[in-house]
Amino acid sequence: MIRLQTPLTEAAVRGLRVGQEVSLSGVVYTGRDAVHKYLHEGGLLPDGVSFHDGVIYHCGPVVMKEPNGDWKVTAAGPTTSIREEPYQAQIIRDFGVRAVIGKGGMGDQTMAACKEYGCVYLHAIGGAAQVLAECVRKVRGVSFLEKFGSPEAIWELEVVDFPAVVTIDAHGNSRHREILAHSQAELAKRL
Amino acid sequence: MDYTLESSLMNALFESLVELIRRTSAEIPEDVHRALLASLEEEKKGTIAESALKIIDRNIALAKQKSQPICQDTGSIIFYVDVPIGFDQLAFEKTCREAVTASTKKGYLRQNSVDSLTGVNDGTNVGPGAPTVHFHQHHSPTVSVRLMLKGGGCENVGAQYSLPLEKLHANRDLDGCRRVILDAVVQAQGKGCGPGILGVCIGGDRATGYEYSKQQFLRMLDDRNSDPRLDALEQDILKTANELGIGPMGFGGKTTLLGVKICAANRLPASFFVSISYMCWAYRRQGIELDADHAIARWLY
């Protein structure tokens, strides 16, 4: 298990390899379909939100408002990342993202951007909304809540020991590509 | 017999439905949990497949203990309701919608329903086509309600094939069905939050094929198909899929699928569809039978 702390350095990110389990602490920003499309079309991040050396989490959490007005994340697993494939490489480049957390993996453009700009894809456990919500210790803020709705908003979350697996590294390796090729070959033997 | 729902019955029904939604969202059915624990035993120690399944198991326990959603994507809300002849379906459906909105306020469901034209999410989980309620009349005085919450990640990897399909050498026979079903497994990889469960319909039209494929998820995971041809195909697909090395979350490993359920429906001579629905490991389905006062008489899973 490799411990990661935000802000992430390029050296720390380039030190990671596909198949390693990591435990991330620090700040992550949620961002999914609406946010990616918005940034791709030239939208600006709100004041105080920076992805530089930071982490984007493909997640639409369940967030409840507590009686004292604080937000509490009650479910926060990853959403399917491949939908952001048309946008992710550009966002990694333009905003200096060091890690993208999601599930299901991403494609060749993202893999190339990870290699070129020093970024990794961290695969969280899909569906593990409670284990991952426990890792969220605080909601620091929210942007675009009205504009995009709660699941699509940018939530700024403080996380501790968030577990994930490196499945795309900064060296042009993708676990997803390897497993796809392996499984296709195994299936061909069984048809 | 008069099945028009009085307000006291409506209130009891509302409470029963909210409890059904809470439990479906927060508690994995026992048959699914057993299958997940068995797969955890199968995976090699020290692998990321094992690690993933351990997190899944911890998640199941936490969700139940906290009465919170197993997965934050609380999914398409699909009710299957068996009712006596003459039952007031309109009142029932209205109560269903109220129970869904109330359950969303309580956090059992995420604000998960978006206007497809405007992109607006009004936070109620109710709108055109949401939730879905399928009624089925039967010759019994009892009302039973089954609920499935099916997340978008697994819904997105569902697939419908039209046979013959030359590129997969799939003809209009059971071998052709096998080829396209296994192709769907390989295409899905880990994107549907495996280990998954397949519901398949051979035949039907484009709409009913998918509909029947989803209804297969109402079966118990460890049951066996009463049709020996479909039973053989189910067992074969399960065994073969688990030899492909896709594994939990697509990380690699022994458990790609937990189960395969297949049905057949008549088709037109011109059409031969194979419709495949994928259910994630967070297989949320429960059911209740109501008593005469519309309180929960018993749980169905």
Side-chain angles (χ1 to χ4, degrees):
Chain A
M1 182 73 77
I2 293 165
R3 295 193 171 280
L4 296 175
Q5 175 74 48
T6 66
L8 297 172
T9 63
E10 182 169 359
V13 164
R14 291 207 183 268
L16 297 170
R17 289 290 188 282
V18 155
Q20 289 176 327
E21 291 186 68
V22 301
S23 174
L24 175 80
S25 298
V27 174
V28 305
Y29 290 97
T30 68
R32 49 180 294 167
D33 308 72
V35 168
H36 282 76
K37 179 167 178 285
Y38 165 82
L39 295 176
H40 173 73
E41 289 170 350
L44 298 175
L45 283 175
D47 286 344
V49 174
S50 168
F51 294 163
H52 191 76
D53 290 338
V55 181
I56 295 179
Y57 181 20
H58 295 158
C59 170
V62 178
V63 190
M64 306 296 286
K65 200 157 209 173
E66 306 228 84
N68 67 2
D70 288 351
W71 295 105
K72 183 171 173 52
V73 170
T74 59
T79 191
T80 305
S81 298
I82 196 69
R83 296 191 306 270
E84 317 316 337
E85 182 63 15
Y87 319 120
Q88 199 69 70
Q90 180 200 337
I91 289 169
I92 290 170
R93 183 194 67 194
D94 293 353
F95 294 91
V97 179
R98 290 284 174 221
V100 173
I101 308 175
K103 75 173 172 82
M106 300 199 73
D108 290 348
Q109 297 173 72
T110 300
M111 192 174 68
C114 283
K115 187 176 178 184
E116 186 167 357
Y117 305 110
C119 181
V120 286
Y121 179 77
L122 304 176
H123 198 306
I125 304 303
Q130 290 307 319
V131 167
L132 300 177
E134 290 259 297
C135 301
V136 178
R137 296 300 158 82
K138 191 177 174 197
V139 177
R140 297 195 355 174
V142 59
S143 308
F144 299 141
L145 183 58
E146 291 296 315
K147 188 181 173 80
F148 296 143
S150 177
E152 296 274 357
I154 297 180
W155 294 92
E156 182 180 349
L157 308 176
E158 262 180 44
V159 300
V160 175
D161 295 337
F162 186 104
V165 177
V166 181
T167 57
I168 298 174
D169 65 23
H171 305 279
N173 302 307
S174 163
R175 183 88 169 190
H176 308 286
R177 213 171 47 168
E178 290 164 19
I179 299 283
L180 176 63
H182 171 79
S183 57
Q184 283 171 330
E186 290 298 315
L187 178 57
K189 292 182 208 165
R190 290 168 174 80
L191 290 177
Chain B
M1 220 182 302
D2 179 13
Y3 285 106
T4 304
L5 296 181
E6 296 162 12
S7 68
S8 64
L9 279 182
M10 298 266 278
N11 290 341
L13 176 62
F14 173 85
E15 297 298 332
S16 297
L17 291 174
V18 170
E19 175 58 9
L20 172 62
I21 293 167
R22 183 199 68 77
R23 192 160 170 195
T24 309
S25 179
E27 298 182 19
I28 207 95
E30 274 177 33
D31 56 332
V32 181
H33 197 191
R34 275 198 304 274
L36 280 165
L37 290 175
S39 69
L40 179 55
E41 289 297 307
E42 282 289 306
E43 293 293 347
K44 267 196 210 138
K45 306 299 160 218
T47 58
I48 51 178
E50 188 205 22
S51 190
L53 286 166
K54 279 184 174 166
I55 290 177
I56 285 171
D57 191 41
R58 215 167 89 220
N59 193 71
I60 289 169
L62 258 180
K64 183 173 179 177
Q65 177 205 325
K66 300 176 95 172
S67 206
Q68 287 177 357
I70 293 167
C71 174
Q72 77 288 339
D73 184 356
T74 53
S76 297
I77 303 164
I78 313 169
F79 290 97
Y80 299 90
V81 193
D82 294 319
V83 297
I85 294 162
F87 185 81
D88 186 345
Q89 298 182 0
L90 296 174
F92 187 96
E93 186 159 352
K94 180 170 174 281
T95 309
C96 264
R97 293 163 80 90
E98 289 165 3
V100 163
T101 296
S103 300
T104 309
K105 285 205 182 94
K106 287 170 183 277
Y108 304 154
L109 299 173
R110 182 173 69 178
Q111 297 176 359
N112 216 29
S113 188
V114 178
D115 183 308
S116 294
L117 299 182
T118 61
V120 171
N121 181 342
D122 72 3
T124 64
N125 266 329
V126 166
T132 306
V133 187
H134 296 283
F135 288 101
H136 173 247
Q137 284 190 353
H138 59 182
H139 285 290
S140 156
T142 59
V143 177
S144 54
V145 188
R146 288 174 173 79
L147 171 62
M148 194 187 297
L149 301 175
K150 189 168 185 302
C154 66
E155 184 67 3
N156 288 350
V157 299
Q160 189 168 60
Y161 295 84
S162 178
L163 305 189
L165 188 56
E166 200 174 1
K167 73 172 180 181
L168 295 178
H169 308 291
N171 296 306
R172 290 181 159 192
D173 51 28
L174 283 180
D175 179 65
C177 295
R178 177 179 186 269
R179 284 171 181 268
V180 298
I181 296 167
L182 286 168
D183 182 68
V185 173
V186 167
Q187 296 304 322
Q189 291 288 300
K191 291 196 281 286
C193 284
I197 300 89
L198 298 187
V200 180
C201 176
I202 299 171
D205 63 28
R206 287 199 184 271
T208 59
Y210 267 133
E211 177 47 40
Y212 294 140
S213 75
K214 277 209 181 70
Q215 286 182 20
Q216 290 299 297
F217 298 131
L218 299 175
R219 289 170 55 186
M220 296 296 285
L221 199 47
D222 55 1
D223 75 357
R224 294 293 289 259
N225 202 309
S226 57
D227 184 318
R229 296 161 301 180
L230 295 178
D231 182 60
L233 187 59
E234 288 179 358
Q235 302 306 317
D236 174 23
I237 300 273
L238 180 61
K239 176 173 174 290
T240 309
N242 285 336
E243 291 168 355
L244 302 182
I246 296 169
M249 292 295 133
F251 289 162
K254 294 181 179 175
T255 324
T256 298
L257 294 180
L258 296 175
V260 180
K261 304 290 165 192
I262 307 177
C263 69
N266 278 18
R267 60 180 177 82
L268 298 180
S271 302
F272 196 125
F273 297 114
V274 179
S275 308
I276 299 146
S277 288
Y278 189 108
M279 178 65 94
C280 56
W281 69 258
Y283 184 157
R284 287 152 290 167
R285 62 119 158 76
Q286 252 305 343
I288 49 176
E289 192 177 292
L290 299 176
D291 67 16
D293 298 323
H294 284 183
I296 297 172
R298 66 183 184 97
W299 292 88
L300 299 177
Y301 293 100

